[in-house]
Amino acid sequence: MDNVPAGRSGGDLNNGRDDSDRDHDHDHEHVSLGRILSGKRSVVSEMDFFAGEKPAATSKEILGVKKESVQNEDEQLHINTGLNLSTTNPSIINNGTSKNIKKNSQENKLAALQADLEKTSVENQRLKGMLNQMNSNYHALQMHLFTYMQRQHTRRPGNDHTQNHEMISNGKARQFMDLGQAAAKRDEAVSIQSASSEETRSKDFSIVESMEISNQKINNSNIDLEKSTTDSDRRRRIVERELESPERSTQLAVADSNNNNNKVPRFNSSRDVEQATQTIAMVRKARVSVRARSEATMISDGCQWRKYGQKMAKGNPCPRAYYRCTMASGCPVRKQVQRCAQDRTILMTTYEGNHNHPLPAAAVGMASTTSAAASMLLSGSMVSTDHQHGLIINSNDFHHDLAKTTHHHPLSNFSPSLASLSASAPFPTVTLDLTTHNNHNHNPNQFHHQQMPLSQFHLASSNSSILPSNILNLPHLFSNHQTQAAAASVSTDTISAATAAITADPSFASALVAAITNIMGNTHHQSHSNNNNNSTTRNSSDNKNS
DNA sequence: CGACTTTGACCTGCGC
DNA sequence: GCGCAGGTCAAAGTCG
C-alpha cells in the first residue's frame, strides 16, 4: 500500500495531530498494577463464594478447593487418628478409660466433619442450582429484550426512520457506554453468583452464536437492499431492516423464553427500549481490527476481496484502502487496510460486517474471530464507563483462562498483555494486536509461570477518532519464533503462519473470546477494589489535554 | 473478456 | 450554511 500513489484525495493529507500517536501512547501510560492485582487469589471460602472479589474463582474451582480442603483435613485427621489409635504411648496403653474417651472424641470429630462435608456438598449443589437458574433466566431475559424491542418498534407510528437514524447517529459513545455498563452489571451479577467458568463460557458463546445468527439473517435480508434506488434511501432502509431483524433471528428462542415469562422483568421505560434498539444497531456496526507486521499489502485471511476505494486519512501519510468481499454477490463484509503512521511495517486491517455466504476453511477462523470479537465487545466486555480513567488488570488471569481453553492449540502460548477499550470511536471497535511493538522485556518461557509484571491489560478510554481503540495486544504470539521478542520484528512468513494457524482453527477464536470475556468480566470487580488505591491510569484524552 | 485496480467525483455526517 | 473528513460510487485503465 505504501507504493500506491495518492489520488485526488491526497489533498486530505494534513499536518494535524496524529491520532495513532494517541493510540500508541496507551503503551506508555500504564501504571503498574500487575503486582497489586496478581496474587489476589485469596483463600476460598463460602464468603468468597458470594463476595465476588474473585469472580474467576468459579464454582467448580471452589468446589475443587473445598473438596481439596476437606480432603486435606481428612488426611490430617486420618494421620492423627492413626497415630493416636496405634500409639505406643504408655500412658494410653496403660489407661484403657482414657483411650476410650479419646477414641470417642475422635469419632465425634470425624462424624462432625462428615456432617460438615455433607452440608458443604448440599450447599454447593444448591448454589449450582441457583447458578443454572440464573443462567436460564438470563437467556430468557435476553430473548425477551429482542422481542420487546421489536414489538416496540413496530408499534411506533410510521416506523420513524428519522428517529432511528438519529438514534444511531447521535451519541454513539454514550450509547455504547450504557450498553457496556449494563453488560458489566450483568457480568457482575453472574459472577457474584459464582458462575463456573465453563458455564459462563457457554453462556457467552451462546450470545455470540445468537448474534452471529442474527447478523447472518440481517445480512441476508440486506442483499436485496443493495439494489435499491438511491443511496440515501437504501441506507435508511438498511438501518430499518437492521432494527427489524432481531426478532426473526430470535423467534425460535421466544418459545423457550416464554417458559420463564413470569420471571422476566419488564422494561419500565421507553428509554430502556430505545437503548436496546440502539444496541442492536451498534452491534451491526461493530468492527474488529487486526494489527500485524507484514510487508504484504494485505494479510491473508482466506477471503477474496475487491478494492473499491482508496483515501488519504487524516493524520496518516499512508493511504487507506477499502475492500469489499467478493466471495458472494451482496456480501456486506468490508475491510479497510492501512499502514500505521508510526511504524509502517504494521498493517492495520479493520473488518466490518458478517459474511452472508459459506466460507472456505481458511477464512472461517478469521471470520469467526472477528465476528465473535465484535459480539463479545458488545455483549458485555465493556467494563468501564469512565471516559477519564482507565483500568488496569493483570493479564495473568487471561493467560490462565486462555491456557485452559487453548491448551492444545499451537498458538496457546502467547501472552496478550494489553486491552484498551474506548467509547469514543465512531463505532465500537476491538483490535487484535499481533505486533510486538511494546517494550515488555518478556521471556517467553515465563508465560506458563505467569511471571510478567509488566504484562497487563490496560482498559482505558481514548478519544482517537481514527484508529480503533479497543486493543487486544498479543505481543507474544510469536514468542516461540523470536529470540528477542521485544526487539525483533516478525517476518512476513511468521505472520502468515500465525494467520494461517488462527484461520485454520475456529476453536482458537472461540477460546480467545471466552478468555477475553472472562477476564474483562473480572476486571469490573478488580477495578472497584482497586480504585481507592489510586490505581487508575490516565487515558489518551488526559494525555491530550495535558 | 472478465476481474480487478485506480482515481476523480460524490454523498453523508459532524463541528464550527 | 460551510468546510472538513470518512466512505462509496463508477468510469477508465490494467492485467491475465
Side-chain angles (χ1 to χ4, degrees):
Chain A
M1 282 303 149
D2 290 335
N3 54 357
V4 177
R8 158 194 164 273
S9 55
D12 292 335
L13 210 159
N14 66 84
N15 56 357
R17 67 184 184 278
D18 194 335
D19 293 285
S20 52
D21 274 339
R22 295 198 296 274
D23 187 42
H24 277 281
D25 284 343
H26 286 285
D27 297 351
H28 309 293
E29 294 168 3
H30 298 163
V31 175
S32 178
L33 256 186
R35 291 197 191 108
I36 297 173
L37 296 172
S38 64
K40 195 171 164 56
R41 187 181 297 274
S42 56
V43 176
V44 178
S45 65
E46 285 204 15
M47 287 303 293
D48 291 330
F49 198 89
F50 292 100
E53 282 293 318
K54 181 65 182 175
T58 65
S59 61
K60 265 190 179 174
E61 289 172 347
I62 291 171
L63 283 171
V65 172
K66 277 186 177 178
K67 198 174 178 181
E68 193 177 49
S69 170
V70 172
Q71 279 176 342
N72 288 341
E73 282 185 54
D74 200 25
E75 279 179 18
Q76 197 171 356
L77 178 64
H78 176 73
I79 291 170
N80 291 340
T81 303
L83 285 173
N84 287 336
L85 292 179
S86 61
T87 181
T88 55
N89 187 332
S91 65
I92 294 178
I93 294 174
N94 295 333
N95 191 337
T97 306
S98 171
K99 180 182 171 184
N100 285 339
I101 290 173
K102 285 202 170 186
K103 190 175 180 179
N104 286 338
S105 172
Q106 291 293 339
E107 285 175 350
N108 288 340
K109 273 188 180 177
L110 182 61
L113 282 170
Q114 283 177 340
D116 283 346
L117 179 61
E118 283 179 15
K119 268 188 187 175
T120 305
S121 296
V122 169
E123 179 70 6
N124 283 337
Q125 289 299 322
R126 190 179 67 82
L127 290 170
K128 281 179 95 174
M130 287 172 61
L131 173 64
N132 290 333
Q133 181 67 43
M134 179 163 246
N135 275 336
S136 60
N137 286 350
Y138 170 72
H139 282 291
L141 177 60
Q142 191 186 33
M143 293 308 134
H144 261 266
L145 172 64
F146 286 122
T147 309
Y148 192 90
M149 281 171 356
Q150 166 62 15
R151 253 187 245 136
Q152 200 71 13
H153 177 71
T154 52
R155 271 184 215 149
R156 203 170 288 159
N159 285 344
D160 191 345
H161 302 310
T162 307
Q163 186 178 352
N164 290 339
H165 199 64
E166 286 176 356
M167 284 194 303
I168 295 166
S169 301
N170 299 330
K172 288 164 190 161
R174 179 187 165 84
Q175 295 156 14
F176 184 43
M177 280 308 198
D178 289 344
L179 165 65
Q181 196 170 22
K185 283 179 182 172
R186 181 256 303 168
D187 283 348
E188 182 179 20
V190 171
S191 51
I192 283 176
Q193 289 298 322
S194 190
S196 76
S197 55
E198 303 301 324
E199 286 165 343
T200 304
R201 283 186 194 112
S202 61
K203 173 200 71 180
D204 289 325
F205 275 95
S206 66
I207 295 171
V208 169
E209 286 169 9
S210 169
M211 289 185 170
E212 285 182 355
I213 292 170
S214 176
N215 287 341
Q216 185 85 5
K217 297 201 173 189
I218 290 169
N219 292 334
N220 287 337
S221 69
N222 283 341
I223 296 175
D224 57 330
L225 294 175
E226 300 293 329
K227 299 168 185 170
S228 295
T229 52
T230 65
D231 278 352
S232 57
D233 183 49
R234 186 189 64 189
R235 285 170 188 163
R236 195 166 55 226
R237 290 179 61 188
I238 287 176
V239 171
E240 180 185 0
R241 290 290 186 94
E242 286 172 357
L243 295 172
E244 288 176 357
S245 295
E247 187 187 47
R248 292 179 225 161
S249 62
T250 54
Q251 276 174 342
L252 293 177
V254 168
D256 178 56
S257 66
N258 284 341
N259 296 332
N260 297 307
N261 269 354
N262 52 343
K263 303 167 190 169
V264 176
R266 295 181 181 280
F267 296 99
N268 292 325
S269 68
S270 59
R271 185 172 175 274
D272 294 336
V273 177
E274 285 182 7
Q275 281 185 4
T277 307
Q278 294 158 11
T279 296
I280 297 301
M282 294 297 285
V283 166
R284 287 285 297 118
K285 289 294 182 183
R287 293 176 177 178
V288 177
S289 288
V290 177
R291 286 166 58 95
R293 291 189 191 278
S294 176
E295 301 294 326
T297 56
M298 270 200 304
I299 62 174
S300 170
D301 50 21
C303 283
Q304 290 180 341
W305 302 94
R306 177 175 184 156
K307 189 175 183 179
Y308 67 89
Q310 177 169 306
K311 285 278 287 187
M312 294 302 298
K314 186 182 177 183
N316 193 336
C318 303
R320 177 184 300 164
Y322 299 91
Y323 293 88
R324 178 179 290 137
C325 177
T326 59
M327 296 194 75
S329 62
C331 179
V333 176
R334 289 167 190 199
K335 77 173 180 181
Q336 301 173 6
V337 179
Q338 186 176 33
R339 293 208 170 272
C340 179
Q342 278 67 45
D343 186 350
R344 299 192 185 185
T345 65
I346 295 177
L347 202 61
M348 285 283 305
T349 306
T350 304
Y351 295 88
E352 179 182 331
N354 289 329
H355 296 279
N356 63 354
H357 52 84
L359 292 170
V364 168
M366 183 62 84
S368 63
T369 299
T370 55
S371 176
S375 299
M376 176 273 298
L377 173 69
L378 291 162
S379 66
S381 295
M382 276 294 291
V383 295
S384 172
T385 60
D386 189 344
H387 284 266
Q388 300 301 318
H389 297 91
L391 305 172
I392 290 182
I393 63 170
N394 196 303
S395 62
N396 287 347
D397 288 331
F398 187 101
H399 305 157
H400 182 66
D401 288 340
L402 202 65
K404 280 196 296 187
T405 53
T406 65
H407 56 286
H408 291 312
H409 195 282
L411 292 178
S412 63
N413 59 339
F414 69 84
S415 167
S417 66
L418 184 74
S420 176
L421 296 179
S422 168
S424 56
F427 298 106
T429 304
V430 59
T431 299
L432 307 177
D433 194 341
L434 305 182
T435 68
T436 58
H437 64 79
N438 63 336
N439 54 2
H440 297 171
N441 295 320
H442 171 54
N443 177 358
N445 296 328
Q446 289 179 331
F447 167 70
H448 295 293
H449 303 291
Q450 302 180 0
Q451 297 296 320
M452 292 172 293
L454 291 179
S455 186
Q456 301 164 340
F457 276 107
H458 178 204
L459 302 179
S461 60
S462 141
N463 284 332
S464 169
S465 59
I466 292 180
L467 291 181
S469 39
N470 304 308
I471 298 177
L472 302 177
N473 192 3
L474 314 178
H476 313 299
L477 179 61
F478 314 107
S479 57
N480 282 347
H481 306 283
Q482 293 174 288
T483 53
Q484 297 200 359
S489 64
V490 180
S491 69
T492 306
D493 287 346
T494 312
I495 289 285
S496 301
T499 304
I502 291 174
T503 56
D505 189 353
S507 66
F508 173 73
S510 300
L512 179 62
V513 171
I516 293 169
T517 306
N518 256 4
I519 283 307
M520 292 190 174
N522 295 344
T523 311
H524 185 67
H525 303 285
Q526 298 196 354
S527 66
H528 283 305
S529 61
N530 286 284
N531 276 344
N532 293 334
N533 295 333
N534 196 24
S535 60
T536 55
T537 57
R538 295 168 57 236
N539 62 8
S540 59
S541 63
D542 288 339
N543 186 43
K544 192 179 73 174
N545 294 334
S546 61

